[in-house]
Amino acid sequence: MQPFSPFAVFNMSLYPNALEKMPVTDQIVVRCRKGDVRAFRELYEAYARAMYNICLRMTGHAADAEDVLQEAFTQVFKNLDKLGSDSSITAWIKRIVVNHCLSYLRKKKVYFEEVGETDAAEEAAVDEGAYALTVSAVKEAIGQLPDGYRTVLNLYIFEEYTHREIADMLGITESTAKTQFMRAKEKVRQLVKLKTKEV
Amino acid sequence: MQLEDFIQQNRSAFEEEGPGPRVWAALEKELPVKQRARVVQLMARHWWKAAIIVALVVNAGLLVKFLHTKQEVAYVLPEMEEMQVYYTSRIEQKLDELGQYPEEQLGLDSTTRKELQLRNETYLLLEKELMSNPGNERIRAAMVRYYQMKLELLDKILSEQEKYHHITPSNKKDAL
């Protein structure tokens, strides 16, 4: 008869197969909830670059982007218990990061104020063939946008939120969000065009 | 080309490198694991109480699993009786020893005390299964496991009591 140690039991999971079947990030979340420091690191590493890029686009400054990223991840780590089992962790983290970026902008007194209704057809006013878009020119142009325009443009094109979602985040109407986006885009085109002429 | 199409097509070219190391360095200092560490420290002295419950629950789960995988191997019952008499007397002796400590000193809650009793729900379930399948090797093995586990846990509790309180009941016998 083999001796049976109760400690052998402690090495066994109650649900040994459940964890293996989970997607990797879900496993990390489970381990974070248990207080595993390495799991926090893995979670951070998995999202740091993408989330830092959001912060960088939204703030426009590397040092500020790092500060905002840090604040956002502090909140992510503290609130992992509140993440529902059906929620997408990526969308959840991204939303926290975006919210921190927006509160940073509000602190900087950036207002996403109402603007007069404009004709959506103004988009067509630019001569599309007169200039060529390049990554560096577009990057530079976006960087030169006023904070309000840049925010709306980033949220729509890069973060892929709808005009409705952007309006809710910024506390403006959907049509204002659309108009701001059109104007931001127009401004980028003008800046790129200017840049192309300079070259 | 539309601006959004151009950006989507060249999306990766718009991505910058990740943040510098100072972000993680700052985050690491605020990780919510520190609070847990304090709780763990507090629990350190009484870890075995939690361990008992975990072990009993896990064991009950294992036993149920055993019972659901039936095997038709004939075994002789008298062996079983001999084993039962041996373990029952040992366990009862340990329970007696434990009973001599004041309840507040033991600090066991009612659930744990109930689980520690010889004829708890797991035992009754096993006994019932054994009566209807006397020759089943798996139930037999499960019963032996149940006894051994209970005995080891009782020993552990008793040795912890001695370690922390240096009071030994008068009829303390040799440990297993």
Side-chain angles (χ1 to χ4, degrees):
Chain A
M1 196 184 292
Q2 273 210 326
F4 178 72
S5 159
F7 300 102
V9 172
F10 300 147
N11 295 324
M12 297 160 73
S13 166
L14 270 178
Y15 310 103
N17 295 322
L19 204 62
E20 284 165 23
K21 285 175 189 162
M22 286 175 153
V24 175
T25 45
D26 287 357
Q27 287 186 28
I28 297 176
V29 172
V30 170
R31 285 166 47 218
C32 286
R33 285 174 177 163
K34 289 177 186 162
D36 180 344
V37 180
R38 271 172 56 198
F40 282 108
R41 178 77 198 237
E42 285 168 31
L43 185 67
Y44 173 77
E45 296 290 351
Y47 288 97
R49 188 177 171 195
M51 298 302 134
Y52 172 69
N53 267 278
I54 295 178
C55 297
L56 197 57
R57 283 192 287 267
M58 298 278 280
T59 63
H61 300 278
D64 289 351
E66 286 190 343
D67 289 344
V68 173
L69 184 74
Q70 185 197 321
E71 284 170 22
F73 263 96
T74 303
Q75 192 184 340
V76 166
F77 289 164
K78 278 185 185 156
N79 290 285
L80 275 174
D81 285 340
K82 293 178 190 162
L83 173 69
S85 54
D86 298 336
S87 322
S88 147
I89 179 152
T90 307
W92 182 73
I93 293 178
K94 186 170 149 186
R95 191 55 195 265
I96 291 175
V97 170
V98 168
N99 285 344
H100 276 267
C101 290
L102 293 177
S103 85
Y104 160 89
L105 291 170
R106 286 195 185 97
K107 273 184 213 155
K108 263 187 76 186
K109 307 282 183 210
V110 174
Y111 295 106
F112 310 100
E113 74 274 4
E114 294 286 331
V115 288
E117 289 291 312
T118 33
D119 186 4
E122 76 178 32
E123 191 187 352
V126 177
D127 177 3
E128 294 281 346
Y131 63 97
L133 292 169
T134 62
V135 171
S136 61
V138 172
K139 259 189 194 175
E140 198 181 322
I142 293 174
Q144 287 173 4
L145 286 178
D147 287 335
Y149 279 178
R150 200 185 60 242
T151 304
V152 174
L153 186 118
N154 278 333
L155 289 175
Y156 188 79
I157 299 185
F158 286 96
E159 315 324 334
E160 297 175 353
Y161 288 111
T162 63
H163 289 305
R164 175 78 261 157
E165 288 168 326
I166 295 166
D168 289 343
M169 281 181 211
L170 303 183
I172 55 179
T173 65
E174 192 175 345
S175 70
T176 303
K178 266 187 200 165
T179 310
Q180 294 272 50
F181 172 67
M182 295 300 185
R183 288 179 176 179
K185 215 161 70 162
E186 173 59 28
K187 187 85 183 153
V188 170
R189 280 204 189 104
Q190 286 172 4
L191 289 165
V192 170
K193 213 170 169 181
L194 207 66
K195 175 97 183 149
T196 315
K197 274 182 186 169
E198 279 171 10
V199 175
Chain B
M1 186 191 276
Q2 285 279 321
L3 181 65
E4 45 267 62
D5 295 336
F6 175 78
I7 291 174
Q8 291 309 340
Q9 281 173 22
N10 298 281
R11 185 61 204 261
S12 57
F14 280 91
E15 295 292 302
E16 304 287 338
E17 288 301 307
R22 77 173 177 97
V23 180
W24 174 255
L27 281 168
E28 202 174 18
K29 288 178 194 156
E30 295 175 19
L31 283 182
V33 290
K34 283 181 182 166
Q35 208 180 350
R36 295 181 72 100
R38 275 203 299 276
V39 175
V40 170
Q41 266 177 0
L42 268 174
M43 287 294 291
R45 238 193 85 178
H46 301 289
W47 63 270
W48 50 274
K49 289 177 199 167
I52 292 164
I53 297 185
V54 171
L56 291 172
V57 168
V58 171
N59 202 33
L62 286 175
L63 295 182
V64 170
K65 202 177 157 193
F66 264 83
L67 297 180
H68 282 278
T69 3
K70 305 215 167 191
Q71 269 192 1
E72 299 301 324
V73 185
Y75 268 86
V76 199
L77 258 178
E79 270 179 38
M80 210 51 212
E81 278 173 15
E82 201 177 294
M83 183 274 290
Q84 261 179 322
V85 169
Y86 169 76
Y87 280 112
T88 307
S89 66
R90 293 291 302 271
I91 289 168
E92 275 172 351
Q93 175 203 326
K94 302 279 174 198
L95 282 169
D96 279 350
E97 283 179 37
L98 202 64
Q100 290 177 29
Y101 287 102
E103 271 185 29
E104 60 276 14
Q105 186 182 313
L106 282 170
L108 299 171
D109 62 25
S110 59
T111 317
T112 314
R113 278 204 302 273
K114 210 167 146 190
E115 277 296 331
L116 280 175
Q117 286 310 307
L118 179 59
R119 289 179 175 78
N120 64 13
E121 282 175 19
T122 313
Y123 177 92
L124 295 174
L125 176 72
L126 275 173
E127 195 178 48
K128 197 178 149 201
E129 287 289 330
L130 199 62
M131 297 295 259
S132 46
N133 305 285
N136 189 304
E137 189 200 11
R138 287 188 164 261
I139 303 171
R140 200 186 91 126
M143 198 79 170
V144 173
R145 261 187 178 207
Y146 169 86
Y147 282 131
Q148 288 178 333
M149 181 123 178
K150 180 149 290 193
L151 208 51
E152 292 211 25
L153 284 171
L154 285 165
D155 271 335
K156 197 76 209 160
I157 297 170
L158 288 167
S159 69
E160 286 289 329
Q161 284 302 317
E162 281 176 43
K163 201 160 118 194
Y164 286 113
H165 303 287
H166 310 291
I167 300 165
T168 316
S170 53
N171 66 340
K172 177 89 179 88
K173 300 285 196 304
D174 291 336
L176 185 66

